[in-house]
Amino acid sequence: MTSIEHLAERQRAFAAERDWEQFHTPKNLAMALAGEAGELLAEFQWLTPEESTKVMDDPDAGNRVKSELADVFLYLTRLADVLGIDPIQAAHAKLDEGERRYDAATYRGSARKAPPLT
């Protein structure tokens, strides 16, 4: 059992013990995920690019970032579980697509978008 599967099981049990499954619709979970992503973003909002790379050096800021990242990960994991999506498999499929769209020789060091796959 992967750690993500174990985490999804813990979340399922957590929600069931509190009778929260009724609230864990895909729409509600996606909205909560977006809200938590916004809270994570707020931790970086006014930092310079250099400061953002050192955020974990500050114990208070680092703890806030870690907490918000955990919230994002938990909502993402719960949403994937409710929808029956294996997030690891989906991520590998997305990386496979990226490798096809963005060959290293053409896109190395470039931030430009690739044209859609045909």
Side-chain angles (χ1 to χ4, degrees):
M1 174 180 297
T2 68
S3 59
I4 288 184
E5 289 170 342
H6 178 70
L7 180 60
E9 284 182 6
R10 281 193 65 193
Q11 288 181 288
R12 247 180 267 132
F14 183 89
E17 289 168 359
R18 291 155 181 79
D19 191 28
W20 287 354
E21 301 102 324
Q22 61 185 316
F23 308 116
H24 288 189
T25 64
K27 177 198 75 77
N28 287 354
L29 292 167
M31 290 175 66
L33 173 60
E36 293 299 340
E39 291 179 19
L40 176 60
L41 178 62
E43 293 298 327
F44 292 93
Q45 185 172 6
W46 302 113
L47 302 180
T48 65
E50 182 180 340
E51 289 170 334
S52 74
T53 66
K54 297 177 183 171
V55 72
M56 298 306 292
D57 293 346
D58 176 329
D60 291 334
N63 284 334
R64 289 192 310 271
V65 166
K66 190 184 304 185
S67 178
E68 296 305 338
L69 187 69
D71 287 340
V72 168
F73 191 70
L74 286 167
Y75 275 115
L76 182 61
T77 302
R78 183 71 176 135
L79 178 59
D81 186 48
V82 166
L83 291 173
I85 296 170
D86 177 337
I88 299 296
Q89 184 180 37
H92 279 293
K94 192 67 175 183
L95 281 169
D96 291 344
E97 178 186 324
E99 287 174 346
R100 288 190 303 274
R101 289 186 69 196
Y102 296 97
D103 68 278
T106 304
Y107 288 94
R108 184 172 181 78
S110 172
R112 74 179 194 271
K113 293 282 285 179
L117 288 176
T118 55

